[in-house]
């Protein structure tokens, strides 16, 4: 069965494979970068600028913190209530160039036992859920040493 690949959140990431990137916005006045993206105004309280441009964010970063998700999150998280729950690993990653912390799941199969603070990871395409006709895409973080 062929499924349409649809981002879970539009305009937060783009590309496939080596071209995959999280997308943020940069204020033209102060240079502040935002993720998730901001399209209305600069979030920097000291800036009155408002011209924001989309920018691809660093592909790599270092683990700032991590934990495991051992329970089924409530809505709007999408999951099959009849399927057995599979824990996932959640990472807070400080992006290499922007020095901002972004949250995301680790690639499936990576557990907290395999991680450490400071470990290098990269953003890669991921799948959140599949249903009839649609594959809901997202991003995951993959340890660089796991290539």
């Amino acid at each position: 069965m062929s499924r349409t690949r649809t981002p879970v959140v539009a305009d937060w990431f783009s590309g496939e494979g080596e071209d995959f990137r999280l997308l943020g916005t940069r204020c033209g006045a102060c240079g502040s970068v935002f993720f998730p993206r901001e399209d209305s105004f600069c979030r920097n309280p000291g800036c009155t600028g408002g011209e924001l441009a989309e920018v691809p964010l660093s592909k790599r970063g270092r683990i700032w913190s991590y934990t495991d998700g051992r329970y089924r999150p409530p809505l709007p998280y999408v999951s099959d209530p009849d399927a057995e729950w599979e824990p996932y690993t959640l990472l807070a990653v400080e992006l290499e160039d922007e020095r901002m912390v972004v949250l995301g799941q680790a690639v499936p199969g990576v557990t907290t036992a395999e991680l450490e603070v400071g470990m290098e990871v990269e953003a890669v395409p991921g799948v959140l859920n599949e249903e009839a006709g649609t594959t809901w895409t997202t991003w995951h973080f993959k340890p660089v040493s796991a290539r």
Side-chain angles (χ1 to χ4, degrees):
M1 169 194 253
S2 177
R3 291 187 175 99
T4 302
R5 293 180 61 81
T6 305
V8 171
V9 182
D11 301 323
W12 280 23
F13 53 90
S14 70
E16 291 291 330
E18 291 299 315
D19 295 328
F20 182 82
R21 282 297 211 280
L22 293 174
L23 300 175
T25 48
R26 175 177 283 125
C27 175
C30 71
S32 294
V33 178
F34 307 105
F35 182 85
R37 63 182 299 127
E38 176 58 63
D39 293 314
S40 301
F41 60 92
C42 179
R43 288 188 217 144
N44 177 350
C47 179
T48 58
E51 190 170 321
L52 302 164
E54 181 177 278
V55 292
L57 301 179
S58 299
K59 189 169 185 68
R60 291 190 176 188
R62 298 212 173 260
I63 296 175
W64 187 74
S65 185
Y66 58 92
T67 191
D68 56 355
R70 297 197 169 266
Y71 65 92
R72 187 184 309 271
L75 291 172
Y77 186 85
V78 179
S79 67
D80 180 351
D82 297 325
E84 182 178 338
W85 176 249
E86 292 185 36
Y88 59 93
T89 303
L90 183 65
L91 305 177
V93 174
E94 183 178 43
L95 298 180
E96 195 169 69
D97 294 333
E98 297 79 11
R99 306 294 305 227
M100 72 171 68
V101 176
V102 173
L103 295 178
Q105 288 185 16
V107 293
V110 170
T111 67
T112 57
E114 302 166 67
L115 303 174
E116 60 185 53
V117 170
M119 177 183 280
E120 189 175 23
V121 295
E122 67 180 353
V124 296
V127 172
L128 180 63
N129 189 42
E130 292 183 321
E131 58 188 28
T134 305
T135 296
W136 295 100
T137 60
T138 187
W139 68 93
H140 287 147
F141 287 109
K142 177 181 178 179
V144 171
S145 60
R147 286 185 158 242

